[in-house]
Amino acid sequence: MNAFFIGIGGMGMSGLAKILHQAGFKVAGSDRNLEGDYCKRLTKMGVIIYPQDGKGLELFMQETGLKPENFKVVKSTAVEDNVPDVVAAVKFGIEQIMRSDLLAQMFNTKKGIAIGGTAGKTTTTGLVAWVLRYCSLEPSCAVGGIISGLDTNAFQGSGEHFVIEADESDGSIVKYRPHISVVTNISYDHKSIEELEKLFLTFFENTDENGLRLVCADDENAMKLCSKCSKKIKTYGLAKSADYKAENIKFDHTSVNFDISNVHFDVKLPGEHNMENILVAIAIGLECGISLEKISEALKAFDGMKRRFEKVGVEKGVTVIDDYAHNPAEIAAAIDAARNLSERCFFVYQPHGFGPTNFTKNELTNVFSSVKNNEYLYLDEIYYGGGTVEKNICSNDLLKAVENKVKNVFCPGSREKIIESIVEKAKDGDTVLVMGARDINQICPVILDKLRNKRD
């Protein structure tokens, strides 16, 4: 399908644009930030990207010879009707489709493997795709992060499997008809627990009768699906009752070691939450006919996901970690993992949008209230993605909610002040954890550079 993507620089949009481009279709798009990482990656591949000013569609048709009926405009729920390119699409009579509908069209024609859940699904999707590709099953993949060893968030494979990260935030997860489906957990995020439970239950019901449905045995909310789904569900996790579990588990600062049926595994991912993610990859690998020995070999070669507890560097003994964590469950997991690295930590968080921040304020307050007296919490300003969203909360509101419980919590008002404070206070052996789904990670190399030049 020939396509023009509005907001092509987004993680999900860029992945689908890449797959269509690799398949030989004519693909272009527009974006508000042409210097973004994914725009640069697509441009390097030969995909033309225009400013989001309403002129790109006409230029695309002129340069390709395509007529309005020869291609479709792809957009996401984040793209509002008053965006100039949407207005232009209406003017030219070009059919518009949602990104999730395009992904469903691609996915449902394959033997689909869909990873759902409110946290952990990006790393889990990356692990599954990596194992299948390493073991020569040549899957296609669309994931919400960069797989480090492949340096991509999407690829088209010649095999029968298509591995995707299935998003529940916009309800699109019910559009998929997977052969294998996974729910990593259910926690309060974009929707209430009750709404999420209904979505994930439909997700499981839509899975092939003879397929595999997996749920984490360590998550109380997710486990409720087992008694409500009309189809058989298998479990994985650290719980003794889990169908897929490991023995002799040993965690250290950078990895986890364990055994399954006398086969040893050594995986370079820290934390109990990653142990659960790894078990999903093992279960799906076995379901796809791969031996435990080969799965172990593949997992040992896995270098992780970009921006998923990624070590950016170490200067003056201070370790700087970048993590995409942006909802309460993910933030809590990242903080726990950071505490395994050092006794004293500095946490930086960029709230992800006004709506989600307001919706999860109580849960964020609970997570941040756990910050200890020898730890530091810095709140960046809330990310604004544009549009007409109501700005009814600010980062200072989060500070006020926890300041009576947390000794060292700051909302400085600028990233420069955050960097300055961390560089001044951080000492040999400390860890700096920078969290957020958008551009807060840009401070990581700056912190390292200033630490490098800091006078002892």
Side-chain angles (χ1 to χ4, degrees):
M1 184 186 83
N2 302 316
F4 186 99
F5 290 79
I6 301 177
I8 196 169
M11 176 71 75
M13 298 285 271
S14 65
L16 297 189
K18 179 180 180 180
I19 291 174
L20 288 180
H21 178 75
Q22 289 178 331
F25 293 104
K26 294 178 181 179
V27 176
S30 65
D31 203 84
R32 291 186 302 159
N33 179 18
L34 302 184
E35 295 302 312
D37 180 44
Y38 298 107
C39 284
K40 290 181 178 179
R41 287 170 179 266
L42 289 170
T43 299
K44 190 175 181 180
M45 292 174 56
V47 176
I48 299 175
I49 303 177
Y50 306 93
Q52 205 170 87
D53 57 8
K55 300 176 183 178
L57 280 165
E58 188 169 6
L59 290 172
F60 178 52
M61 289 188 286
Q62 290 174 358
E63 292 164 6
T64 61
L66 293 174
K67 296 181 179 180
E69 62 269 22
N70 299 142
F71 69 101
K72 295 180 182 180
V73 163
V74 184
K75 62 182 183 180
S76 71
T77 52
V79 177
E80 298 181 319
D81 291 340
N82 60 355
V83 170
D85 289 326
V86 175
V87 175
V90 174
K91 172 187 172 183
F92 290 115
I94 304 167
E95 182 182 351
Q96 301 177 48
I97 65 170
M98 302 304 295
R99 181 200 67 85
S100 57
D101 289 320
L102 174 58
L103 178 55
Q105 289 175 23
M106 294 176 171
F107 177 82
N108 291 339
T109 61
K110 292 269 194 173
K111 201 169 185 179
I113 300 172
I115 312 299
T118 45
K121 54 182 176 289
T122 300
T123 298
T124 304
T125 306
L127 279 162
V128 172
W130 173 269
V131 168
L132 267 58
R133 180 160 168 157
Y134 186 96
C135 297
S136 303
L137 295 188
E138 300 302 330
S140 296
C141 173
V143 59
I146 299 293
I147 302 173
S148 294
L150 301 175
D151 194 33
T152 187
N153 61 327
F155 51 85
Q156 182 185 38
S158 58
E160 63 179 347
H161 299 97
F162 197 146
V163 186
I164 67 167
E165 178 177 340
D167 188 13
E168 81 290 338
S169 64
D170 60 358
S172 61
I173 193 169
V174 301
K175 298 177 181 180
Y176 308 122
R177 300 294 182 269
H179 176 69
I180 298 175
S181 56
V182 180
V183 174
T184 58
N185 49 42
I186 301 178
S187 60
Y188 198 72
D189 190 3
H190 299 276
K191 300 179 184 296
S192 68
I193 297 297
E194 292 74 21
E195 289 176 297
L196 290 168
E197 185 180 277
K198 289 179 181 178
L199 285 172
F200 288 124
L201 183 59
T202 301
F203 175 55
F204 272 163
E205 294 287 359
N206 288 344
T207 302
D208 285 352
E209 185 70 37
N210 298 319
L212 174 66
R213 285 157 293 279
L214 282 171
V215 70
C216 183
D218 307 319
D219 188 86
E220 181 179 351
N221 288 326
M223 281 296 290
K224 292 177 182 177
L225 298 174
C226 293
S227 61
K228 296 183 178 182
C229 184
S230 65
K231 299 177 182 178
K232 184 177 180 181
I233 296 175
K234 289 192 175 182
T235 61
Y236 68 90
L238 304 180
K240 292 183 180 180
S241 60
D243 296 312
Y244 294 94
K245 56 192 174 186
E247 298 176 335
N248 307 319
I249 303 173
K250 296 179 181 178
F251 298 101
D252 62 29
H253 295 332
T254 59
S255 64
V256 59
N257 290 266
F258 58 93
D259 300 309
I260 297 179
S261 299
N262 297 319
V263 175
H264 185 66
F265 290 78
D266 180 4
V267 189
K268 298 188 291 291
L269 292 175
E272 290 187 1
H273 64 294
N274 276 320
M275 180 69 240
E276 294 167 344
N277 299 337
I278 292 164
L279 284 169
V280 174
I282 293 171
I284 292 177
L286 290 171
E287 178 73 10
C288 293
I290 306 171
S291 69
L292 273 175
E293 290 79 7
K294 194 66 179 178
I295 296 172
S296 173
E297 181 185 323
L299 289 172
K300 188 172 185 179
F302 184 68
D303 286 329
M305 303 291 292
K306 297 269 186 196
R307 300 209 61 205
R308 265 63 182 185
F309 212 77
E310 179 185 12
K311 182 190 289 187
V312 182
V314 180
E315 287 293 343
K316 300 288 178 66
V318 179
T319 301
V320 177
I321 302 291
D322 174 24
D323 197 279
Y324 195 80
H326 61 284
N327 68 37
E330 293 170 342
I331 294 166
I335 287 176
D336 285 343
R339 285 174 174 151
N340 289 328
L341 296 180
S342 59
E343 289 188 9
R344 198 170 77 143
C345 296
F346 294 77
F347 306 122
V348 183
Y349 174 59
Q350 178 188 27
H352 182 57
F354 292 92
T357 302
N358 193 47
F359 190 69
T360 59
K361 180 183 176 181
N362 291 337
E363 288 68 31
L364 289 170
T365 299
N366 289 336
V367 172
F368 292 138
S369 293
S370 71
V371 173
K372 303 173 184 177
N373 287 340
N374 65 331
E375 297 174 336
Y376 296 81
L377 171 63
Y378 297 87
L379 298 170
D380 188 29
E381 296 304 309
I382 295 176
Y383 172 79
Y384 173 52
T388 58
V389 64
E390 185 179 354
K391 300 177 183 179
N392 54 358
I393 191 172
C394 66
S395 292
N396 203 50
D397 293 328
L398 294 178
L399 181 147
K400 291 178 180 178
V402 300
E403 61 183 352
N404 291 331
K405 301 176 183 178
V406 178
K407 179 180 178 182
N408 302 305
V409 55
F410 309 96
C411 186
S414 76
R415 292 183 180 179
E416 290 74 17
K417 291 180 180 179
I418 293 175
I419 295 167
E420 180 182 329
S421 178
I422 291 174
V423 172
E424 177 188 351
K425 294 179 173 65
K427 299 178 181 179
D428 185 1
D430 291 344
T431 294
V432 179
L433 172 63
V434 178
M435 299 174 287
R438 294 296 176 169
D439 60 355
I440 187 62
N441 64 318
Q442 292 177 358
I443 74 171
C444 294
V446 181
I447 291 173
L448 289 167
D449 183 63
K450 290 188 177 294
L451 283 170
R452 187 181 305 116
N453 297 314
K454 179 182 178 181
R455 293 183 180 180
D456 295 325

